[in-house]
Amino acid sequence: MADLKAAAKGLSKSDKAAADQKVKAVEAELKSLRSQVRRTMITVALKQPRVVRVQARGNWMDESGPIVQPTVPEFLGTTGAGDRRATRLDLANWFVDAENGAGLLTARVMVNRLWFLCFGSGLAPDLHDFGGQGQPPTHPELLDRLAHALVDSGWDIKATLKLIVTSRTYRQSSAMRPELQAIDPANRLYAVQSSFRLPAESVRDNALAISGLLVTDIGGVSVKPYQPAGYYRHLNFPTRTYQSDTNDGQWRRGVYVHWQRQFLHPMLKAFDAPSREECTAQRPRSNTPLAALALMNDPTFVEAAKAFAARSLAADVLNDAARIDWMFQQAVTRTPTAEERSVLQALLVESRSSFAGRAADATALLNVGLTKPAAQFAAPELAAWTEVCRAVLNLAETNTRD
């Protein structure tokens, strides 16, 4: 704007008039743009802290009660602030102070969550209510021991996790023995390892890892995997559109997936990821047809199956049965039973027959998403093995942590 005004000074009258008109047009445009800026509410810290009093029976209009300073209840220890006003930093230090604060309580809550991550349930089952209203821990002495270990390690999370995962309890088999089924069906005694479905993000990561597509780069911007068209059509504040990534961002870990509150990705929703409208300490685990349909039809999983099929065809094996064994080993780290092998072989034969007569359908399946079918494999054959891989990636065992 200043450059325009300076340039106008050395012009003729006619040129100056034109320049003035241009300046006025730009000023009008700037004024219009500024009028469209959205106003945002902000908070401003007060120079003098607000006076807070004890309220008589909760009456906030009664200002006769004694003045109270910011601190923790007396029976919970001290913040170490002394005579000065306690700050947020004092509160943070109090949370991890094992001597005069709530350090050991904080450590108990933390190790209970770490135990939940490793075993699928906490020593105290209610992660969202660790207090007196929640269920008591099944092994209180163990919980105390781990809490002290966390504090003594200097709050080293990795060291505490290592302590848990190298324990004999963690390294047990998850196969439930018949005699335990009657005594402890919920496995609250941890006589065997727990078996539970992977979290929503890990289900996707697992399929991509098996297929060989997973990109493990750390950091960077959010990524946008495939999503149904029009999924954001009801999001009008403001109206938004969604454009999926067209590069390797499609294959990055689930922790980097773009997350729109209330409109989380349908695949994540099918596997019980929270909407983040409220704090969720413990996710539910459901088993619904929608989850199976997502594993079969979400373009991410179709592409994963296609890439997995290409890996399988490139493997150095002798026949179809050996290739199915190789696939099973990659997906669930075991060889299939005779019945499982027979079912998958039957699916392979049926798919071969189907795609042999419908080459266009094979091409359509293989053209889903970014990855292109490997040129060295015939389209009907690759499509047939893709169908087999879709079934393997859909297995409950593939998406279960044993």
Side-chain angles (χ1 to χ4, degrees):
M1 181 63 66
D3 292 341
L4 284 173
K5 292 180 178 179
K9 290 181 179 180
L11 300 176
S12 64
K13 289 185 177 180
S14 59
D15 291 337
K16 186 176 181 181
D20 289 341
Q21 289 293 332
K22 188 173 183 180
V23 169
K24 290 179 180 179
V26 172
E27 288 177 339
E29 186 177 357
L30 283 173
K31 184 177 180 180
S32 175
L33 289 173
R34 285 168 180 157
S35 67
Q36 298 175 30
V37 173
R38 293 177 178 271
R39 293 184 177 274
T40 303
M41 293 183 64
I42 62 173
T43 58
V44 179
L46 299 175
K47 294 182 178 179
Q48 293 297 328
R50 183 168 63 92
V51 175
V52 178
R53 298 176 180 273
V54 175
Q55 296 175 353
R57 301 181 64 83
N59 183 5
W60 56 272
M61 298 182 67
D62 185 350
E63 298 185 356
S64 63
I67 297 176
V68 293
Q69 297 297 328
T71 187
V72 298
E74 188 175 353
F75 74 93
L76 290 177
T78 61
T79 61
D83 295 332
R84 62 178 175 81
R85 284 179 66 91
T87 64
R88 292 182 179 180
L89 179 58
D90 293 319
L91 179 61
N93 290 331
W94 172 82
F95 269 116
V96 294
D97 185 348
E99 296 295 331
N100 302 307
L104 287 176
L105 292 175
T106 303
R108 282 162 57 86
V109 173
M110 188 65 199
V111 297
N112 191 56
R113 293 197 175 196
L114 297 179
W115 190 273
F116 168 81
L117 293 176
C118 295
F119 291 90
S121 62
L123 292 168
D126 295 330
L127 266 64
H128 58 276
D129 191 350
F130 197 83
Q133 296 183 6
Q135 297 183 50
T138 54
H139 301 70
E141 295 86 357
L142 175 58
L143 187 61
D144 290 343
R145 172 67 184 88
L146 290 173
H148 278 280
L150 177 60
V151 172
D152 294 343
S153 68
W155 298 87
D156 190 332
I157 303 298
K158 288 186 177 180
T160 306
L161 276 172
K162 182 178 180 181
L163 178 64
I164 294 174
V165 300
T166 55
S167 67
R168 188 172 59 183
T169 304
Y170 181 86
R171 291 181 291 167
Q172 296 179 110
S173 167
S174 61
M176 178 63 78
R177 300 190 294 275
E179 65 273 18
L180 292 174
Q181 188 65 47
I183 301 173
D184 183 27
N187 193 31
R188 301 303 299 148
L189 299 177
Y190 299 103
V192 294
Q193 176 56 278
S194 303
S195 178
F196 53 91
R197 197 200 65 211
L198 297 172
E201 297 86 347
S202 298
V203 170
R204 176 179 174 276
D205 292 355
N206 186 52
L208 293 177
I210 293 171
S211 70
L213 290 175
L214 184 66
V215 175
T216 58
D217 294 346
I218 297 175
V221 299
S222 297
V223 297
K224 295 184 177 180
Y226 304 112
Q227 183 171 286
Y231 185 58
Y232 282 172
R233 65 185 180 278
H234 299 302
L235 185 62
N236 297 320
F237 300 103
T239 301
R240 303 186 190 187
T241 57
Y242 184 93
Q243 181 62 50
S244 59
D245 285 333
T246 57
N247 52 30
D248 285 350
Q250 280 285 349
W251 319 127
R252 298 200 62 196
R253 293 170 54 212
V255 69
Y256 297 111
V257 169
H258 171 77
W259 195 305
Q260 180 67 49
R261 191 172 62 176
Q262 294 183 307
F263 288 82
L264 72 159
H265 193 279
M267 176 265 151
L268 300 178
K269 188 174 183 179
F271 285 92
D272 304 308
S275 64
R276 292 191 180 177
E277 294 175 75
E278 58 186 20
C279 179
T280 303
Q282 188 170 353
R283 297 183 182 184
R285 295 192 188 99
S286 64
N287 186 15
T288 68
L290 289 178
L293 289 172
L295 289 174
M296 287 293 292
N297 300 309
D298 186 299
T300 296
F301 291 94
V302 176
E303 285 211 66
K306 181 173 60 176
F308 190 23
R311 282 190 66 204
S312 302
L313 287 170
D316 186 17
V317 295
L318 298 176
N319 52 44
D320 291 345
R323 182 164 285 114
I324 289 173
D325 288 356
W326 182 90
M327 289 169 48
F328 237 78
Q329 187 67 40
Q330 296 297 308
V332 298
T333 65
R334 68 172 177 84
T335 55
T337 64
E339 181 180 4
E340 290 168 335
R341 187 182 297 109
S342 176
V343 169
L344 291 177
Q345 284 180 316
L347 175 60
L348 176 62
V349 171
E350 181 180 350
S351 299
R352 275 175 173 162
S353 175
S354 176
F355 286 121
R358 295 182 291 124
D361 289 346
T363 302
L365 174 63
L366 297 178
N367 283 334
V368 170
L370 297 176
T371 59
K372 302 304 178 184
Q376 68 268 35
F377 305 122
E381 182 71 1
L382 181 57
W385 278 102
T386 297
E387 292 293 273
V388 176
C389 289
R390 291 172 76 183
V392 172
L393 293 179
N394 205 324
L395 292 173
E397 188 175 348
T398 303
N399 301 290
T400 299
R401 202 227 64 168
D402 287 321

